[in-house]
Structures are given as C-alpha cells and as structure tokens.
Amino acid sequence: MPTTKALPLIDPAGGQAGDPCCPPLTERPFTAGEAEAAARMFKALGDPVRLRLFSAVASHEGGEACVCDISDVGVSQPTVSHHLKKLREAGLLTSERRGTWVYYRVEPSVLAAMGRLLTASAAV
C-alpha cells in the first residue's frame, strides 16, 4: 500500500501556527519540496467531488460534519468514502468515528495555511 503524505506545516516554534509548507506564491519561487507539498494539496482539491465535500465539511455548522450529512454529491457512498479518504491522506481533513458514523473536520491550521499560500505579499 502506498504511503501517504499530509500537507506539512511548519513547527509552531519556528513560525506562526498554521504556517504552510510554502511561502505565499508571490513571495519567491518554491523549492522542489515546497512545490511537491503544495501540489499534493491542490491535487486533492482538483476533483470537483472532493472540492464539494471539502466545502461541505468546512461550511457545516460547528465546522464538523457527519458523513451522513455530506454524502449527497451525486456519487455512490463508496465513491464518497474514497474521496474523503483522499482528502484525509492529503492532510486536509481529520476524521473521528462515533458509533456507526464518521465525523469529518477541517483543521483551522489547514485553512490558514491554504489562505497564506494563496495570499499576495503586501506591496512595498
């Protein structure tokens, strides 16, 4: 089975909590490692079903959603589970089983990291 790599975040001791693996796109060119980390995140979000699921979790009341609440995206339940697994493997979602249901959450640090990556540097 292939290993999975989550979007790495900088150690809070070495930077602000939620700092992404990479600088803002407009700050400087990415290193090879930074580009690989960002590409994993964008690849996971590059599928319309995954993007809808990610958005459904992120916008759900309380920032957490049961799989039963977000599975109506026009594909079968096994396909939903596959896409949620890909989002977890990319480090974009976390999950917790409670009884027979699985609940998903977008970590605030992930949203902060994505926002920082896509934010333009301040003009000088």
Side-chain angles (χ1 to χ4, degrees):
M1 180 170 230
T3 60
T4 60
K5 295 181 180 179
L7 179 66
L9 299 177
I10 293 174
D11 180 2
Q16 294 179 347
D19 281 351
C21 62
C22 317
L25 289 171
T26 57
E27 186 175 298
R28 64 170 172 76
F30 285 174
T31 64
E34 290 168 342
E36 287 178 23
R40 277 192 301 276
M41 176 187 63
F42 288 121
K43 183 176 180 181
L45 292 174
D47 181 281
V49 172
R50 285 187 209 139
L51 190 55
R52 288 183 66 200
L53 288 168
F54 185 76
S55 173
V57 172
S59 64
H60 202 269
E61 184 178 331
E64 169 179 87
C66 174
V67 70
C68 61
D69 295 328
I70 59 171
S71 60
D72 187 21
V73 291
V75 296
S76 68
Q77 174 56 45
T79 303
V80 167
S81 294
H82 167 77
H83 286 302
L84 289 169
K85 177 183 174 188
K86 292 294 186 184
L87 291 168
R88 279 193 337 266
E89 289 174 346
L92 299 174
L93 292 180
T94 60
S95 64
E96 177 184 350
R97 179 170 293 279
R98 297 181 197 156
T100 59
W101 297 109
V102 178
Y103 288 80
Y104 292 88
R105 175 178 293 280
V106 176
E107 291 296 326
S109 62
V110 169
L111 292 177
M114 289 170 48
R116 182 173 182 271
L117 175 70
L118 297 173
T119 300
S121 297
V124 179

